[in-house]
Amino acid sequence: MSELAIDRDIDRSHMTVSDEVAIQIDQMNKWFGTFHVLRDINLTVYRGERIVICGPSGSGKSTLIRCINRLEEHQAGTIMVDGTELSSDLKNIDKIRSEVGMCFQHFNLFPHLTILENCTLAPIWVRKTPKKEAEETAMHFLEKVKIPEQANKYPGQLSGGQQQRVAIARSLCMKPRIMLFDEPTSALDPEMIKEVLDTMIELAEEGMTMLCVTHEMGFAQAVANRVIFMDQGQIVEQNEPKEFFNNPQSDRTKLFLSQILGH
Amino acid sequence: MSDTNAQSVSFVRDKMLPESAPPTLERGVVKWIRENLFSSILNSVLTLGSIYVIYWIVAHLYPWLANSVWYASSLNECREIRDATVGPGVPSACFAVITDRWEQLLFGFYPNDAYWRPVMALVAFLAAIAPVLFVSLPRKLLWFSAASPFVMFSLLWGGSIWGPITLAVGFGVGYAAFVLLGRVAGALVSVLGSIIAPVLFWMFLAGPIAGALTAVAPIGLPFVESRSFGGFTLSVIIGVSGIVLSMPLGILLALGRQSDLFIINKVSVAFIEVIRGVPLIVWLFTAQLILGYFLPPGTTFDLTLRVIIMVTLFSSAYIAEVVRGGLAALPKGQYEGADSLGLDYWQSMRLIILPQALKISIPGIVNTFIGLFKDTTLVVFIGLFDPIGLSNAIRASTDWNGIYWELFVFIGLLFFIFCYSMGRYSLFLERKLQRENR
Ligand SMILES: Nc1ncnc2c1ncn2[C@@H]1O[C@H](COP(=O)(O)OP(=O)(O)OP(=O)(O)O)[C@@H](O)[C@H]1O
Ligand SMILES: [Mg+2]
């Protein structure tokens, strides 16, 4: 929960929000057994949006974004991703998953494969890309996250920040239209947080649609066009970052912000 | 700490010390012995005690081995030779039984002039597993590995080569069905097709085709009945078939036990628990008695084959549990990482989950295989002539009546070589994977 200031200029020329809907969530509810984790979630994400989701621990942030690519199953309401509804149809699920990239708190790289193999695996097997082409793409994205020289190492040989950047590159190799981030920096040391945030900012600058669960409020202020605050499984407040931080409406939001920003 | 003492703070060395050897007590053999054998009173007592036990064993074994007789035609002759050379009553091993009967211990009642066939089958087997065991070998060799079961079958049992070839073609038919149906229909249809097509092929086409080809071109080695199989050859055939077949079955059972699909899950659990909960010997008797009843009258179903099936099922239940342990040890994030990239179930299992789970399970898997291999000696109880069975047969002859230890030492040594090699390979593999992934 750092307040790491973003000290670089952000190029906003490609950060445009179109009126094409990327994700549409309607009256979605989810239970874990009898525990009602997500309650009546309504959320429309337009293409090009950069949304930061924050909220206290256990408020259902992870569960919400994990529902978007069906790592968790919702029990009521609808979720449409790129016009495809998430139902129990396996074909739809695999299709959506291959269009939606996801980065986890603990990276979830495959330790038995090299960095390059981590990045080419899904393109080769899911997209049926020829190996050579997949490797070129992988190297392109590894250069983008600034670790092409590590391509032939194994994940265990890399630092946490490098691993998270590989995880981002791995998702990008599938050319996703939407990226989901679940606390990508909260398992990292401060100096590594910055390198990962830089990578995420570059992604935002290219116009990627992003949903990030994060407590990096500096990042939210710099690149988000919308901040969503969740508590007890509900969306309590959402606003553009400036308004959200300077003029929170709900008491819960105020309390959360005062705790997290230490005012 | 105080910083009042000025002299001790500033210091300049004016003379460099030469390198010197450590004191005698701190070096070489003396140091090692002191540290490892006599570091405390208890340790010294244990050391001396162990030395005595080792001495006692060697003192008894050595004369027996040193005075051993290697050439004689019966136990009595052995004794006579011993009496003449080292004197009566002196312990002396009679390994003449091995030199006299080793062929039988290795090959059972396999025809004498065809001993080269099991030997070649073993060579083919070693050539087939080499590329599987050592990834540094060229991958093209795997084609031979795929063909080797049919080659080995033709060598061991003989008969027209068209039988094994049509059998192999059946697998090709299955693969073709899988690919062709995969293009026009869904995954389920193509999987079903890949099972049904070869079964139909084997049931209705394989027999006539093999018969016709045999009539046209009767190529093949003379047929050898299963009844003539015996000795270590039999142990290796049962052991190796069991190992090779139980691995995929065990993996499927482990996946089944982890599955969310109710029926598959329950069937796997029931299978594993029932098979595991009953002694192998009971299953072997079952194989001998009951499996025959289920078959249509008139068909004879080879006893060796039945034993192989039972041994396979038995060890697959164990493999399943070992692999399940490996699957459970993987962090949930690995499954989620694979899912989030859009890999389907089989892809994520094959590419992500199983390689890691199997790596964790290597010691347990090899352990199971070693157990399975040694358990093949239980077939003696259903009348097959494995090495133990043969040792009984040899002892029943008047020449070698009353000889025990020499035979068991030889049989034990054979098994030890196999099992020890497996254990060594497992260590090699563990180290190699350790190096690779970190
Ligand atoms: N698989 C599960 N089974 C049962 N309960 C769960 C499961 N996963 C999460 N929960 C519960 O659901 C609630 C929301 O969890 P979630 O992980 O979405 O919270 P979060 O907002 O991401 O919190 P954090 O900031 O700690 O990551 C928590 O109370 C958690 O205990
Ligand atoms: Mg979370």
Side-chain angles (χ1 to χ4, degrees), chain A residues 61-62 105 182-183 213:
Chain A
K61 311 177 295 287
S62 299
Q105 184 175 3
D182 189 3
E183 306 203 26
V213 174

Side-chain angles (χ1 to χ4, degrees), chain B residues 324-407:
Chain B
R324 187 172 69 103
L327 290 173
L330 279 196
K332 211 169 139 233
Q334 290 295 308
Y335 293 84
E336 293 179 349
D339 283 349
S340 73
L341 288 169
L343 296 171
D344 65 30
Y345 176 78
W346 290 108
Q347 286 172 337
S348 71
M349 286 302 137
R350 190 159 55 88
L351 301 166
I352 309 299
I353 305 301
L354 282 176
Q356 297 183 63
L358 291 181
K359 180 186 145 192
I360 303 173
S361 322
I362 290 172
I365 291 174
V366 174
N367 203 22
T368 308
F369 284 161
I370 289 176
L372 159 86
F373 190 60
K374 290 183 299 179
D375 283 350
T376 57
T377 49
L378 286 174
V379 298
V380 64
F381 292 111
I382 56 168
L384 290 184
F385 284 99
D386 82 313
I388 303 288
L390 280 169
S391 79
N392 292 338
I394 292 172
R395 208 174 300 114
S397 71
T398 42
D399 281 350
W400 298 111
N401 198 346
I403 196 154
Y404 285 93
W405 289 106
E406 292 80 353
L407 286 169

